[in-house]
């Protein structure tokens, strides 16, 4: 009897798994691009939800934030909040499952051209993140798809959870783009001081072929063409346009990554955290 009961339970579990996979496939078949396999299976194609993944993701995200932080830089710099601290402590992690935003991102990713092997950004620090799924999410590494941090204030964080990032509302040394960093220390500079728990996103970003620069470009509203300063038409041309901007200079502490199209980034994880002495 015990063996028969176990067999019945096993069959019931297999039937549930088959039903879940069938539902996931039915949703995916109705979409332009399939949803990530680790999302909850019953999300309607026209809706979104926030899934608490703190239990499985908190330690991993906290490790990533601290592994490549620069405590000596906390509280300093042009954009900093002036507070000195040594570590980040993650209090919660939510996964954003927004079908509309994901479809837009996946469609854009499909249209970004693959880059030659010599232009693949293999040294992005956030590549060390290991996710707790059976296999890590597939990334289009040949299109420089990476995870990057984006820090912001609580009121803006609520809007990002609902509608994604809007590069038109951003400004800085590289114009009107959505700004990202591989070091949480850089993104923390923009999260403010008004509340004890702060907001940061770990976003998927498809960088494609980035324009490399060591100088600020406050005039940018889109990436330069491949000739940049050598373009005789000053960018109003038919030359190939780069997909993003990557800033790196020895006199600056951090690299920065900018995209100028909202659908080139997907804010997948919303992180709440505190600063520790």
């Amino acid at each position: 009897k015990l063996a028969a009961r176990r067999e019945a339970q096993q069959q019931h579990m297999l039937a549930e798994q088959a039903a879940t996979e069938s539902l996931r496939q039915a949703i995916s078949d109705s979409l332009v691009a399939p949803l990530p396999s680790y999302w909850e299976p019953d999300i309607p194609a026209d809706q979104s939800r926030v899934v608490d993944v703190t239990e499985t993701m908190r330690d991993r995200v906290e490790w990533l934030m601290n592994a490549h932080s620069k405590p000596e830089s906390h509280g300093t710099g042009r954009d900093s909040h002036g507070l000195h601290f040594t570590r980040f402590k993650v209090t919660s992690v939510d996964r954003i499952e927004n079908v509309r935003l994901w479809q837009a991102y996946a469609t854009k990713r499909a249209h970004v051209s693959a880059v030659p092997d010599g232009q693949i950004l293999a040294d992005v620090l956030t590549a060390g993140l290991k996710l707790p799924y059976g296999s890590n999410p597939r990334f289009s590494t040949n299109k420089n798809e990476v995870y990057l941090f984006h820090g912001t204030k609580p009121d803006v964080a609520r809007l990002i959870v609902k509608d994604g990032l809007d590069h038109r509302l951003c400004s800085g040394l590289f114009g009107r783009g959505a700004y990202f960093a591989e070091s949480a220390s850089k993104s923390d500079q923009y999260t403010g001081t008004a509340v004890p728990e702060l907001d940061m996103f770990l976003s998927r970003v498809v960088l494609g072929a980035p324009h490399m620069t060591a100088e600020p470009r406050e005039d940018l509203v889109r990436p330069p063409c491949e000739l940049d300063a050598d373009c005789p038409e000053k960018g109003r041309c038919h030359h190939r346009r780069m997909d993003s901007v990557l800033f790196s200079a020895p006199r600056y502490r951090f690299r920065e990554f900018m995209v100028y199209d909202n659908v080139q980034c997907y804010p997948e994880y919303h992180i709440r955290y505190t600063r520790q002495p």
Side-chain angles (χ1 to χ4, degrees):
K1 290 183 179 179
L2 180 60
R5 188 158 53 246
R6 286 176 176 172
E7 182 177 354
Q9 290 173 342
Q10 180 72 12
Q11 290 177 348
H12 179 70
M13 184 179 67
L14 291 174
E16 284 188 335
Q17 291 175 346
T20 295
E21 184 56 36
S22 177
L23 178 59
R24 185 190 302 281
Q25 189 61 49
I27 293 173
S28 293
D29 288 346
S30 69
L31 302 173
V32 175
L35 302 176
S37 61
Y38 50 88
W39 281 20
E40 299 296 321
D42 56 347
I43 182 169
D46 61 344
Q47 293 187 18
S48 64
R49 65 181 163 207
V50 174
V51 179
D52 185 348
V53 293
T54 304
E55 183 176 348
T56 56
M57 287 291 294
R58 176 167 46 199
D59 290 348
R60 298 165 191 265
V61 171
E62 188 172 294
W63 170 84
L64 187 68
M65 293 177 72
N66 287 302
H68 306 295
S69 67
K70 296 184 178 181
E72 70 279 6
S73 299
H74 295 165
T76 64
R78 173 180 179 266
D79 301 308
S80 186
H81 40 63
L83 300 177
H84 298 278
F85 63 100
T86 60
R87 288 185 57 80
F88 300 102
K89 181 176 177 58
V90 172
T91 56
S92 67
V93 183
D94 289 332
R95 185 173 65 229
I96 300 168
E97 298 185 354
N98 186 310
V99 177
R100 174 180 58 84
L101 293 181
W102 175 263
Q103 288 294 295
Y105 172 75
T107 301
K108 177 65 176 181
R109 180 180 60 183
H111 287 86
V112 171
S113 298
V115 301
D117 288 346
Q119 294 182 23
I120 292 177
L121 302 173
D123 63 340
V124 176
L125 299 178
T126 42
L129 177 66
K130 301 296 182 185
L131 298 178
Y133 313 118
S135 59
N136 279 339
R138 293 182 178 179
F139 274 73
S140 298
T141 53
N142 63 339
K143 299 183 179 184
N144 283 324
E145 183 184 14
V146 294
Y147 274 130
L148 293 170
F149 291 113
H150 176 86
T152 191
K153 294 179 173 60
D155 56 336
V156 179
R158 289 190 289 271
L159 297 176
I160 291 175
V161 169
K162 180 176 179 291
D163 295 318
L165 282 90
D166 190 340
H167 74 280
R168 297 169 300 179
L169 303 179
C170 304
S171 62
L173 292 178
F174 304 93
R176 296 209 170 272
Y179 287 67
F180 298 92
E182 60 193 333
S183 173
S185 293
K186 176 60 179 176
S187 295
D188 172 76
Q189 294 179 354
Y190 306 96
T191 60
T193 61
V195 292
E197 284 192 334
L198 305 157
D199 295 85
M200 196 176 295
F201 290 87
L202 187 61
S203 301
R204 284 179 182 249
V205 186
V206 57
L207 297 168
H211 168 72
M212 307 288 192
T213 181
E215 298 296 334
R217 293 284 303 272
E218 295 187 49
D219 61 313
L220 291 178
V221 295
R222 59 178 179 172
C225 78
E226 59 186 341
L227 299 183
D228 193 22
D230 296 327
C231 178
E233 300 170 77
K234 304 301 180 185
R236 298 177 181 273
C237 60
H238 298 287
H239 303 128
R240 172 175 171 255
R241 191 158 295 280
M242 308 306 284
D243 298 306
S244 59
V245 172
L246 195 167
F247 170 71
S248 179
R251 67 182 185 277
Y252 287 84
R253 299 179 179 90
F254 305 101
R255 295 198 298 184
E256 294 188 68
F257 305 76
M258 284 65 64
V259 295
Y260 299 80
D261 188 337
N262 295 339
V263 295
Q264 269 183 256
C265 53
Y266 180 81
E268 190 163 12
Y269 293 99
H270 178 204
I271 305 161
R272 303 296 306 281
Y273 71 97
T274 61
R275 303 178 178 117
Q276 298 296 300

